Amino acid sequence: MKHLTRNCIAAALLGAVVNANADVITDWNVKAGEIVTESKLGTPPAIRTMAIVQTAVYDAVNSVASGASINAAVASANRVTMTKLMPSAQPSIDTAYQAALAQIADGPAKTAGVAAGEQAATAVLARRADDGSATAESYRPHAAAGMYVPTAMPAVTQWPQRKPWVMSSAAQFRPGPPPALTSDAWARDFNEVKLLGAKNSTRRSPEQTEIARFWEYSLPAIYYGVVRSVALAPGRDVAQNARMFAAVSQAMDDALISVFDAKYQYNFWRPATAIRNGDIDGNATTERDAAWSPLVDAPMHPEYPSGHAILAGAVGAVVKADIGAGRTPVLSTSSPSAKGATRSWTSVDDFMREVSDSRVYAGIHFRSALDAGTAMGKRIGETTVQKFQQASH
């Protein structure tokens, strides 16, 4: 795929923009990620929020007039979107915004940049106001009248009803069903996670345990660290970075819309449930372990496909398209669930593979769910890249 670059007319206009530098995109991406964490949003709402923020930033960069301050436009787009979506974080948003504006000389360029950012953010917020995220939940726990079931409700059951950014529908990339319980594929999946993902596993290596703990974290910042590995490479410009972050953010948001559509379509059990019920699946090669527990507590939603795998696939596809035929920079990111440790990869495929493997090591996903999620994410990422390429012509 060709690189994610803007059209030549817009690029020429940017040449005259005041205070333009590629780091303004990555700096604000870090700040936005910190504010999302501070706001204690769950992963799906956090990824939706970042998609709106990064899209507003991209639109601000595209619309800023010659001679205006692009740094002011980016700061303004971040402030307006985050204030609307995370009002509880207003003090932190204002602090970051005022610090950014203080570095820009007062005058018409600054004023024009602020106005461009506000206009772009307002337009994106209006477009996404009715995206279905506020749809009332209607999930009914499966139980006979009077029979106890665990009372924690599954996450974002309304997400499949959301309006996607680039997909034609939530079900556009829905995979086929998980393996039949009587199949060899099911036995393979069952026994792999039973062996490697148990809390007290003796077969999981120390590094595999570290990988599981690293990817226990799921907020968007852990993925944006990988994106910044590319964005901070020498020779990048503000237009390239704004575009890549917008494409990644939309692909990630559509990925979760897609994955929750499939999850609630198939309603497949997690390893902890399956392994404690290995004697009722009709497969002679899956033995019950009545006390089996995973290394990491499973998220509150069905197992198939994997959310982490689809996110990694979506991010990976956009990053690959941006790099093109060029040399892949070392990709890296850090994880709060691993006490801030950093992990690195020399290829996009290695990054995606580790994310998938981590969920087996954690004991919360079967291999088929990981393969399906990665494939879905790649297709969503590629579709997003095509959309952005078409918009630039």
Side-chain angles (χ1 to χ4, degrees):
M1 290 182 185
K2 62 190 288 189
H3 291 217
L4 287 176
T5 55
R6 291 206 318 163
N7 62 67
C8 57
I9 296 175
L13 287 174
L14 270 182
V17 170
V18 177
N19 296 330
N21 64 78
D23 288 351
V24 70
I25 305 298
T26 56
D27 289 348
W28 269 105
N29 176 259
V30 172
K31 293 171 188 173
E34 291 171 348
I35 291 169
V36 163
T37 301
E38 174 190 328
S39 298
K40 295 181 167 43
L41 295 178
T43 296
I47 285 175
R48 172 184 180 266
T49 293
M50 290 299 293
I52 293 172
V53 170
Q54 297 297 159
T55 300
V57 168
Y58 171 67
D59 287 355
V61 169
N62 273 337
S63 65
V64 70
S66 176
S69 168
I70 197 167
N71 287 9
V74 171
S76 180
N78 273 276
R79 180 189 67 83
V80 173
T81 49
M82 289 194 288
T83 297
K84 175 67 174 179
L85 298 170
M86 299 177 289
S88 64
Q90 187 74 57
S92 296
I93 297 167
D94 288 344
T95 297
Y97 180 65
Q98 294 302 330
L101 287 194
Q103 299 176 36
I104 306 169
D106 291 335
K110 181 176 183 177
T111 301
V114 168
E118 289 178 350
Q119 185 175 6
T122 299
V124 173
L125 286 166
R127 293 201 305 268
R128 302 305 296 183
D130 61 348
D131 71 353
S133 59
T135 301
E137 293 190 30
S138 59
Y139 180 82
R140 181 194 291 268
H142 299 281
M147 183 66 67
Y148 170 79
V149 296
T151 52
M153 290 296 105
V156 292
T157 56
Q158 78 277 24
W159 235 237
Q161 280 71 59
R162 286 189 56 216
K163 178 174 71 176
W165 294 87
V166 300
M167 297 187 300
S168 60
S169 72
Q172 181 179 356
F173 298 110
R174 183 189 291 171
L181 299 184
T182 54
S183 68
D184 291 341
W186 166 245
R188 176 208 66 188
D189 284 1
F190 179 104
N191 289 309
E192 180 188 33
V193 72
K194 182 181 180 184
L195 193 67
L196 292 176
K199 181 177 291 187
N200 60 353
S201 173
T202 60
R203 297 291 296 274
R204 186 179 56 244
S205 71
E207 183 183 17
Q208 289 171 336
T209 299
E210 291 174 8
I211 290 170
R213 291 298 187 191
F214 188 94
W215 290 105
E216 185 176 352
Y217 195 75
S218 63
L219 286 176
I222 197 168
Y223 287 101
Y224 282 115
V226 175
V227 182
R228 287 195 297 273
S229 300
V230 178
L232 293 172
R236 307 256 327 166
D237 63 40
V238 69
Q240 283 178 292
N241 283 350
R243 184 170 184 162
M244 180 173 63
F245 276 96
V248 164
S249 70
Q250 291 185 19
M252 289 175 69
D253 199 21
D254 270 15
L256 287 197
I257 293 172
S258 181
V259 86
F260 280 105
D261 164 78
K263 281 178 179 289
Y264 289 114
Q265 171 69 24
Y266 295 119
N267 207 36
F268 200 61
W269 53 4
R270 290 277 181 176
T273 308
I275 294 169
R276 288 184 176 222
N277 287 283
D279 57 337
I280 65 169
D281 64 3
N283 195 314
T285 58
T286 59
E287 295 184 4
R288 179 188 187 216
D289 182 341
W292 193 92
S293 293
L295 174 66
V296 172
D297 291 338
M300 289 304 301
H301 44 76
E303 189 270 343
Y304 180 89
S306 163
H308 257 316
I310 198 172
L311 288 173
V315 171
V318 175
V319 166
K320 274 190 173 184
D322 188 274
I323 296 168
R327 181 178 179 181
T328 303
V330 174
L331 307 174
S332 66
T333 192
S334 59
S335 170
S337 61
K339 300 179 180 180
T342 297
R343 292 189 63 81
S344 301
W345 309 271
T346 56
S347 78
V348 176
D349 289 336
D350 287 347
F351 150 69
M352 292 188 292
R353 188 176 303 110
E354 178 174 300
V355 174
S356 284
D357 289 344
S358 75
R359 309 309 266 174
V360 172
Y361 305 152
I364 58 179
H365 270 300
F366 300 109
R367 182 65 62 182
S368 294
L370 300 165
D371 293 345
T374 301
M376 293 166 70
K378 287 179 179 179
R379 294 181 70 189
I380 292 167
E382 290 164 0
T383 301
T384 306
V385 167
Q386 291 168 6
K387 171 203 167 184
F388 275 78
Q389 288 177 344
Q390 290 165 3
S392 69
H393 292 296

